[in-house]
Amino acid sequence: MIISFSPPFIDDDIRKEVMDALDSGWITSGPRVKALEQLVAEQTGVSSVACCNSATSGLLLLLHWYGVTRGDEVIVPAYTYAATALAVMHLGATPVMVDCGTDFNMDTAAVRKAITARTKAIIPVDIAGWPCDYTTILEIVNEPAIRKQFAPATETQRKLGRVMILSDAAHSIGASYHGKPTGNWADFTVFSFHAVKNVTTAEGGAMCINLPAADFDHEEVYRTLKLWSLNGQTKDALAKSQGAGWKYDIVYPGFKMNMPDICAAIGLAQLRKYQSLILPERERVFKTYNALLSPHPWSELPPFQSEVKSSSCHVYALRIKGITESQRDAMIDRISTTGASVNVHFQPLPLLTVFRERGYAIHEYPVAYDSYSREISLPVYPELDQKKIEYIVNAVVDAYNGVMRNG
Ligand SMILES: *Cc1c(COP(=O)(O)O)cnc(C)c1O
């Protein structure tokens, strides 16, 4: 049986929304992007949401908005996708990597230790859809000693007066922490709508604005982010196309990071059924894996639900107890021969050439390496029925038995 890892969720409602966009005569940024922004805001309970063309762009734009530049440091987890750190490097700043805890998310004690007078931001990542400890991270950046050593270099930094928290929630739309959806905890939260994520626009991202409301006008921040994501141009293409609207100005050296309506159409139709259909189906798949894998003493189940957290079930990050990296690789080879697709989330950044060449060394991140070396991500999406899930689990069990017997 061939089981792919993360096919996009495409049904007739999505096809219709895309066709309507095509037939509307307007395919780049316009009413559907607006509608998607409003729907994300509604579902997360955040006042302002700005869409852009990827989560990577969103992270870069928000760090730039905060004035992060050469000489600055931004704390990122070693256990994440490369984009988290690349966004920092694109601005000439230095990603300072910290190890993760056993739940895959950044270790807050390590974050505390990594803060220096050069630290401008922290980027927590909700790995596999499991929210980070945001209250702890907020407490850390608000500690009097840490606020005191914060060295603001711009008006915006003076206004916030502390290290900014920028959540990389590429995996965690629909997750919740202390009963509130992700989007409500960090100063900014960035969702990814890449093709493999829980909600997709093929490529795309959303920036949730949650700065302290006493000091920041969210509508104004929204307008700035939209302006800076469209070349700093005072009128977008839609406004220019209407009436005698040809004349515009460029008021800032902005980027080109806007989301097209044709993409927003996919996300809009998906998000309309995310809470009621797609997310519950993902939870069902997660629970089924839990039930089938928990009898095996070698299985270490991923975090899913706790008193205060609920996962968005992005991928099922299974770990195998007592195996080495090469045994894990051998298991994946065996699983692949069955037609079931699995994956690894993630190769810690210090294992990747671009970071290794810049001096990051994997031995400094032992928990990240341990999780990585024993991890196999199992697919999670609504189309996985009981039979397919059983097939995948059987493939994993056979691979474990095969590898442990034959070395
Ligand atoms: C996918 C992903 C991103 C990047 O998302 P894009 O929308 O593709 O830019 C960033 N961080 C993490 C953790 C991701 O998994």
Side-chain angles (χ1 to χ4, degrees):
M1 192 183 329
I2 301 294
I3 302 175
S4 54
F5 191 75
S6 49
F9 182 88
I10 305 294
D11 67 4
D12 283 345
D13 293 327
I14 291 160
R15 285 186 197 95
K16 181 170 184 312
E17 193 66 42
V18 172
M19 288 309 291
D20 287 352
L22 284 172
D23 292 339
S24 75
W26 194 262
I27 58 173
T28 189
S29 308
R32 284 185 170 77
V33 170
K34 258 270 178 297
L36 179 62
E37 290 174 344
Q38 277 161 6
L39 195 55
V40 174
E42 223 170 86
Q43 291 197 4
T44 54
V46 173
S47 66
S48 283
V49 175
C51 282
C52 56
N53 64 358
S54 73
T56 309
S57 296
L59 293 170
L60 172 60
L61 187 65
L62 291 166
L63 290 169
H64 180 62
W65 176 88
Y66 200 49
V68 171
T69 186
R70 220 160 280 283
D72 291 340
E73 294 175 353
V74 176
I75 298 172
V76 302
Y79 204 88
T80 182
Y81 178 61
T84 318
L86 292 179
V88 177
M89 285 158 62
H90 291 322
L91 293 165
T94 305
V96 173
M97 291 182 197
V98 296
D99 205 358
C100 59
T102 53
D103 68 350
F104 297 103
N105 286 344
M106 75 196 319
D107 174 352
T108 52
V111 170
R112 172 79 178 71
K113 276 194 220 136
I115 296 178
T116 73
R118 286 187 295 276
T119 308
K120 288 289 166 18
I122 299 170
I123 311 185
V125 185
D126 301 336
I127 298 290
W130 185 244
C132 291
D133 292 316
Y134 288 102
T135 48
T136 309
I137 298 168
L138 272 159
E139 272 165 31
I140 291 170
V141 298
N142 279 308
E143 272 178 36
I146 287 183
R147 282 187 82 109
K148 204 162 157 228
Q149 72 166 359
F150 180 70
T154 67
E155 193 43 46
T156 311
Q157 291 173 12
R158 253 185 296 282
K159 224 163 144 191
L160 188 61
R162 59 162 169 78
V163 174
M164 178 177 78
I165 304 172
L166 169 56
S167 166
D168 177 342
H171 302 174
S172 66
I173 189 165
S176 70
Y177 180 63
H178 288 288
K180 274 202 280 180
T182 45
N184 287 281
W185 293 98
D187 296 308
F188 291 103
T189 298
V190 179
F191 296 129
S192 171
F193 298 142
H194 178 266
V196 303
K197 305 296 158 84
N198 285 23
V199 174
T200 184
T201 58
E203 296 284 355
M207 301 171 278
C208 302
I209 303 165
N210 186 49
L211 293 157
D215 302 313
F216 292 92
D217 176 348
H218 291 183
E219 257 316 296
E220 190 189 320
V221 176
Y222 170 86
R223 281 193 300 273
T224 303
L225 295 176
K226 295 296 277 193
L227 184 76
W228 291 13
S229 63
L230 201 94
N231 293 334
Q233 184 170 307
T234 50
K235 284 182 187 174
D236 63 17
L238 184 62
K240 275 178 63 194
S241 74
Q242 286 160 352
W246 64 271
K247 196 160 189 178
Y248 60 86
D249 195 9
I250 302 286
V251 294
Y252 187 80
F255 303 97
K256 190 64 168 59
M257 295 176 167
N258 56 305
M259 176 189 282
D261 260 24
I262 186 101
C263 293
I266 305 172
L268 197 52
Q270 280 200 353
L271 202 55
R272 283 190 193 122
K273 53 182 72 178
Y274 184 59
Q275 306 279 353
S276 59
L277 175 77
I278 299 175
L279 188 55
E281 286 293 284
R282 287 182 165 274
E283 284 167 0
R284 170 187 59 79
V285 173
F286 234 77
K287 283 184 186 149
T288 310
Y289 279 132
N290 281 350
L292 294 173
L293 284 162
S294 57
H296 297 282
W298 45 261
S299 71
E300 186 177 333
L301 310 186
F304 172 41
Q305 277 164 354
S306 76
E307 290 265 290
V308 297
K309 296 183 188 181
S310 164
S311 174
S312 66
C313 304
H314 176 54
V315 294
Y316 192 87
L318 176 68
R319 278 166 290 189
I320 313 292
K321 291 178 191 159
I323 63 166
T324 64
E325 183 180 356
S326 60
Q327 286 171 326
R328 185 276 313 274
D329 293 350
M331 275 185 72
I332 291 181
D333 286 345
R334 282 172 184 259
I335 295 166
S336 301
T337 64
T338 69
S341 302
V342 295
N343 228 307
V344 174
H345 293 88
F346 284 97
Q347 300 181 75
L349 304 186
L351 290 178
L352 306 174
T353 302
V354 71
F355 301 108
R356 201 176 49 232
E357 282 180 353
R358 281 162 177 76
Y360 300 92
I362 189 64
H363 67 83
E364 292 173 36
Y365 310 93
V367 184
Y369 179 75
D370 174 64
S371 276
Y372 152 76
S373 65
R374 301 187 294 106
E375 203 266 355
I376 301 175
S377 303
L378 309 183
V380 179
Y381 50 91
E383 296 86 344
L384 289 176
D385 58 19
Q386 183 76 21
K387 244 174 89 184
K388 286 181 180 149
I389 299 170
E390 283 170 7
Y391 186 84
I392 295 163
V393 170
N394 284 338
V396 173
V397 172
D398 288 347
Y400 179 82
N401 291 334
V403 167
M404 293 323 257
R405 201 167 40 237
N406 301 322

